[in-house]
Amino acid sequence: ACIFNTYIPRMNPKDGRVISTIIIQALNNETVTVCGDGMQTRSFCYVDDLIGGFIRLMSADDNFTGPVNLGNPEEFSIKELTDTILELTKSKSNIDYFPLPADDPARRRPDIELAKSVLNWVPKISLRQGLEMTIPYFQKN
């Protein structure tokens, strides 16, 4: 399986992932750092959906060997992600924009058509729902 941008409440706050980084900055009312203009898009898959995909993959016919993409194909700009996290955390953080690394893609989105057709799998948890389940972990820790 090819995994795309999965997030979980127990992520390491210092792992450098965009979701954990923005949540920590927002909760601490620090300036949120965004590369580029924030219009680059990413897709984020909550861990429960990913595990559901793995279960379907393990239950698949023995003749199916993949590879298969597991991720949420719904795209969000980094600006939308940041705004949602700032709203959910009730943060007073400002946003600072930094130059986008030259090798950073403008768009990253999995094609899950094979997972849909062979595994009968699609993610069900929206980004907002996943963030609502993730942010409380960081608030407590």
Side-chain angles (χ1 to χ4, degrees):
C2 299
I3 301 167
F4 287 79
N5 279 353
T6 302
Y7 63 103
I8 183 171
R10 290 177 202 85
M11 289 187 297
N12 181 336
K14 296 179 183 178
D15 69 2
R17 294 175 189 255
V18 68
I19 287 183
S20 55
T21 299
I22 294 172
I23 289 172
I24 293 299
Q25 290 171 333
L27 288 172
N28 291 322
N29 290 308
E30 298 170 352
T31 299
V32 174
T33 53
V34 172
C35 292
D37 61 5
M39 293 299 107
Q40 65 274 28
T41 64
R42 299 294 181 266
S43 299
F44 303 98
C45 186
Y46 190 70
V47 68
D48 291 4
D49 282 332
L50 178 68
I51 298 302
F54 280 141
I55 290 169
R56 295 282 178 111
L57 181 58
M58 290 184 289
S59 302
D61 186 283
D62 288 342
N63 294 327
F64 179 70
T65 58
V68 62
N69 293 333
L70 296 177
N72 192 325
E74 190 172 357
E75 289 178 86
F76 293 90
S77 71
I78 297 301
K79 177 75 168 94
E80 289 173 303
L81 171 68
T82 301
D83 289 346
T84 302
I85 291 172
L86 291 176
E87 174 196 339
L88 292 173
T89 59
K90 298 178 176 59
S91 178
K92 295 178 179 19
S93 295
N94 293 317
I95 302 172
D96 264 356
Y97 296 90
F98 292 88
L100 189 66
D103 61 348
D104 196 57
R107 182 177 187 209
R108 196 174 296 147
R109 175 185 178 268
D111 177 350
I112 65 164
E113 290 306 312
L114 188 60
K116 284 181 181 178
S117 64
V118 174
L119 305 178
N120 194 29
W121 175 85
V122 293
K124 295 177 174 51
I125 299 170
S126 72
L127 177 61
R128 185 176 196 89
Q129 290 170 314
L131 289 172
E132 288 170 347
M133 293 185 283
T134 301
I135 290 169
Y137 169 80
F138 288 96
Q139 287 171 322
K140 291 176 190 170
N141 296 293

